[in-house]
Amino acid sequence: MAQINNDLKSIRKQEIIDACKTLYENMSFKEITIKEIGKVTSFTRTSIYNYFQTKEEIFLALLQQEYAMLCSDMEQIYNKYDKLSAEDFAKEMALIFDKRQILLKIVSMNHYDMESCSRIENIIEFKVVFGRTIKSMAKCLKKFFPQSSQIEIDNFIYAFFPFLFGVYPYTAVTEKQKQAILLSGIEYNYYTSYQLIYNCIKQLLADFKINQEN
């Protein structure tokens, strides 16, 4: 009976997370409320509070899910290839991050706000998955660039993951923003998230490449 209840709880939590994800594709974080999420689920707004106390907890669960899928993608790259050049590694990583647009959109928000409105147990669950993602990236770097030092790998990770916070705002430019850029006379180059991530990884791998050549 306990297993059935746990399975049912997981199914209902996933329904709430999926509803939030669907809404987030066309709505902003501020526009989405527990009430709005309840409208696209099979149960009432009040019932949602049995699983999540705030909308921030729902978004944190969605972000956790996105990182879990990203981690799985990195593990597939690790298992698929014996060797990768800096060029190919940048391409492979840019591809898997590029398809996680929801992740890029969420991380462009303030993590402090999201976590400050979530219970400690939810934050711990998220941190565990995020930690696995970082470990997967480090494992890939160690495999494909074996001569690189731990310091270089750490520098890569602590430069790359914070960089992701700015990808979405630079690539998901609204028509109003485009008009403002045009009227302000700013010279602005439009890039896709793939291009930004690819360029960032190539730049961060510069020292790795030197080590491999030496």
Side-chain angles (χ1 to χ4, degrees), residues 115-167:
E115 294 184 1
S116 66
C117 295
S118 298
R119 288 166 290 176
I120 184 66
E121 58 266 31
N122 298 69
I123 301 173
I124 292 171
E125 287 183 9
F126 165 71
K127 295 295 186 185
V128 168
V129 174
F130 179 67
R132 286 207 303 266
T133 306
I134 289 178
K135 288 180 180 178
S136 292
M137 175 64 84
K139 187 167 72 170
C140 286
L141 291 170
K142 289 177 182 177
K143 177 178 182 178
F144 300 123
F145 308 99
Q147 296 180 33
S148 303
S149 68
Q150 187 60 49
I151 292 177
E152 288 172 326
I153 291 174
D154 288 343
N155 287 342
F156 179 102
I157 288 172
Y158 288 103
F160 178 70
F161 281 94
F163 155 82
L164 293 175
F165 282 59
V167 171

Side-chain angles (χ1 to χ4, degrees), residues 24 57 81 120 133 144 154 156 163 173 180 186 192 198 209:
Y24 198 46
E57 286 191 348
Y81 300 102
I120 184 66
T133 306
F144 300 123
D154 288 343
F156 179 102
F163 155 82
V173 184
I186 297 174
T192 64
Y198 167 80
K209 185 176 181 180

Side-chain angles (χ1 to χ4, degrees), residues 152-195:
E152 288 172 326
I153 291 174
D154 288 343
N155 287 342
F156 179 102
I157 288 172
Y158 288 103
F160 178 70
F161 281 94
F163 155 82
L164 293 175
F165 282 59
V167 171
Y168 188 84
Y170 271 88
T171 56
V173 184
T174 67
E175 289 304 317
K176 182 185 291 186
Q177 288 173 322
K178 289 180 180 178
Q179 184 180 9
I181 290 170
L182 179 63
L183 295 175
S184 66
I186 297 174
E187 293 185 8
Y188 189 88
N189 295 321
Y190 293 94
Y191 290 92
T192 64
S193 54
Y194 173 89
Q195 290 172 320

Side-chain angles (χ1 to χ4, degrees), residues 22-61:
T22 299
L23 291 174
Y24 198 46
E25 290 174 352
N26 299 301
M27 297 174 66
S28 69
F29 177 79
K30 290 182 179 180
E31 291 173 323
I32 296 174
T33 62
I34 296 290
K35 182 179 180 180
E36 291 295 328
I37 294 172
K39 289 179 181 179
V40 289
T41 61
S42 61
F43 37 93
T44 65
R45 178 186 65 175
T46 304
S47 299
I48 293 177
Y49 289 108
N50 293 323
Y51 307 96
F52 300 98
Q53 290 187 358
T54 63
K55 78 169 183 180
E56 286 83 2
E57 286 191 348
I58 302 173
F59 271 94
L60 193 64

